[in-house]
Amino acid sequence: MFDNRYDIPTPTNWGIRIVPEKIAFVVERFGKYVKTLDAGIHILIPFVDRIAYAHSLKEEAIPIPDQSAITKDNVSISIGGVLYVKIVDPFRASYGVENPIYAVIQLAQTTMRSELGKITLDKTFEERDTLNENIVIEGKRES
């Protein structure tokens, strides 16, 4: 259903951990969130602290699969797109939803269909900027 090419493997805790630039590690102690490690060198307690999640903080381009939508004047059109996503809060990306990238894709698809249903076929190309703004606003509201 969804490939995991956006996932970063979680490294093993050997006590000293160097976190690369634009990567964040979410650390759990006995299964409970403790802290988020930013770029730099960090000391962890082996066998007690566990790096539960690793997130890239870089902006990623995610293709939105083609789908059909119906405009206000009952014309069926096929739409697709590219979504640019950047994780800004690793804690919420780890514990807020099971698969954040998949959730963002689903939200973008739903919003695209909803917004296209409000306009006629003639206005779809004229209203591209408005459609983009509405998708971004909806994404920010849901995050």
Side-chain angles (χ1 to χ4, degrees):
M1 174 156 81
F2 175 75
D3 64 20
N4 291 329
R5 67 178 169 216
Y6 303 106
D7 289 343
I8 297 173
T10 55
T12 306
N13 175 12
W14 297 110
I16 295 177
R17 175 55 52 195
I18 297 173
V19 181
E21 191 68 33
K22 294 291 184 180
I23 301 288
F25 293 157
V26 175
V27 178
E28 292 179 345
R29 181 170 290 158
F30 298 119
K32 184 177 179 186
Y33 172 79
V34 177
K35 59 185 168 184
T36 301
L37 303 179
D38 295 325
I41 188 165
H42 301 275
I43 297 177
L44 300 171
I45 303 170
F47 306 110
V48 175
D49 291 339
R50 177 176 77 95
I51 299 172
Y53 300 96
H55 295 287
S56 173
L57 302 179
K58 297 176 185 175
E59 187 172 82
E60 300 179 35
I62 301 171
I64 303 296
D66 287 346
Q67 60 182 330
S68 64
I70 299 174
T71 62
K72 188 176 183 179
D73 50 357
N74 287 331
V75 176
S76 181
I77 59 174
S78 179
I79 56 171
V82 176
L83 191 63
Y84 293 92
V85 177
K86 181 168 84 169
I87 293 177
V88 293
D89 187 351
F91 174 80
R92 289 182 65 193
S94 301
Y95 300 108
V97 66
E98 183 68 32
N99 191 334
I101 301 296
Y102 179 73
V104 166
I105 290 172
Q106 294 303 307
L107 179 63
Q109 286 180 327
T110 303
T111 306
M112 284 193 313
R113 283 193 303 267
S114 172
E115 292 298 322
L116 281 170
K118 297 176 185 175
I119 59 176
T120 62
L121 181 63
D122 296 336
K123 297 279 186 185
T124 54
F125 290 113
E126 297 171 17
E127 300 286 330
R128 272 181 93 165
D129 292 333
T130 306
L131 288 170
N132 289 338
E133 289 173 13
N134 289 341
I135 291 169
V136 170
I137 289 169
E138 185 67 23
K140 286 182 179 180
R141 189 178 65 79
E142 291 293 327
S143 64

